[in-house]
Amino acid sequence: MAFELPKLPYSTDAFANLGVSPETFEYHYGKHHNAYVVALNGLVEKNPDLQGKSLEELIKLSYNKPELVPVFNNAGQILNHNQFWESISPTGGKIPAKLEAKIIADFGSVEAFKEQFKQAGVTQFGSGWAWLILTPEGKLKVTKTANAVTPVATGEGKVLLVYDVWEHAYYIDFRNRRPDYISNFLDKIANYEYAEANLLSA
Ligand code: MN3
């Protein structure tokens, strides 16, 4: 059973005034994300040991295995993008009450949380991802990863919210202004409802 590019939960022009142009969706979703799906399906087809496994299983079994780097990179990038598209919403930017209370308990304030989450992406050298996770100890934590690495691989915690800091995520709309792209995400489009749902289902 082949992996598929998931349907987006909104139209590609829904963020036209919110910092994510239809052209960005055309490239980021239609070309980059799709290419990872096509590549992983090709790799799985050629290797019976990989067949019948979920993305999470493929990520865990290929992590830090030199002979499975392409499997890890493509499986990781599919899952990371699946989570990223869920992490934005045209009606985003508002933090619901239960998540807000947890943020204040674990970071001190919403402002402190946003500053930490922003700095994670600003300081990620090169390509990667910034994450809000729930640690096995039950605390919210901000973390960052390089390239295709995900907390699913490292076991650092459950993913609540993520944004992409690969240049392909922001170069069409923000050029080299990564900090502005991140502020736009945090203040206008971050799907904090999705993060809260992930928190409550943990
Ligand atoms: Mn991307």
Side-chain angles (χ1 to χ4, degrees):
M1 207 171 49
F3 293 102
E4 289 180 5
L5 189 66
K7 291 260 181 296
L8 292 172
Y10 33 69
S11 76
T12 59
D13 58 6
F15 299 84
N17 299 311
L18 293 168
V20 193
S21 61
E23 190 184 359
T24 285
F25 279 105
E26 183 187 336
Y27 281 85
H28 194 184
Y29 170 75
K31 297 190 189 296
H32 289 277
H33 192 176
N34 190 58
Y36 300 127
V37 174
V38 171
L40 183 65
N41 284 334
L43 292 164
V44 169
E45 200 178 299
K46 283 185 290 191
N47 186 341
D49 293 345
L50 303 176
Q51 290 166 11
K53 302 203 182 302
S54 68
L55 280 178
E56 286 84 351
E57 288 169 333
L58 290 176
I59 287 165
K60 286 174 185 167
L61 76 82
S62 62
Y63 185 48
N64 283 335
K65 302 263 172 38
E67 70 280 15
L68 292 175
V69 165
V71 173
F72 180 80
N73 286 341
N74 287 289
Q77 285 295 78
I78 295 170
L79 184 63
N80 296 348
H81 284 92
N82 290 353
Q83 294 168 335
F84 175 61
W85 302 126
E86 296 285 342
S87 290
I88 63 173
S89 163
T91 56
K94 294 177 284 290
I95 303 180
K98 287 175 184 151
L99 178 63
E100 184 179 46
K102 181 70 173 156
I103 284 171
I104 291 168
D106 290 354
F107 293 97
S109 68
V110 168
E111 293 69 30
F113 153 69
K114 283 191 174 178
E115 185 55 26
Q116 247 192 72
F117 203 11
K118 180 173 180 176
Q119 285 308 313
V122 167
T123 61
Q124 172 56 36
F125 185 77
S127 296
W129 300 85
W131 308 86
L132 175 65
I133 62 172
L134 185 69
T135 68
E137 294 76 36
K139 292 279 189 197
L140 295 182
K141 183 183 172 185
V142 163
T143 188
K144 61 184 176 179
T145 61
N147 301 322
V149 178
T150 152
V152 171
T154 62
E156 200 178 0
K158 176 181 169 152
V159 174
L160 304 187
L161 194 69
V162 60
Y163 65 86
D164 191 335
V165 290
W166 285 59
E167 284 184 349
H168 67 224
Y170 59 86
Y171 231 81
I172 291 171
D173 299 308
F174 291 90
R175 300 300 176 190
N176 63 329
R177 293 177 290 118
R178 188 191 281 191
D180 292 347
Y181 156 75
I182 297 171
S183 290
N184 182 74
F185 168 83
L186 291 171
D187 295 336
K188 294 186 182 169
I189 63 173
N191 188 351
Y192 295 109
E193 307 273 349
Y194 168 71
E196 185 179 83
N198 287 331
L199 172 67
L200 296 177
S201 72

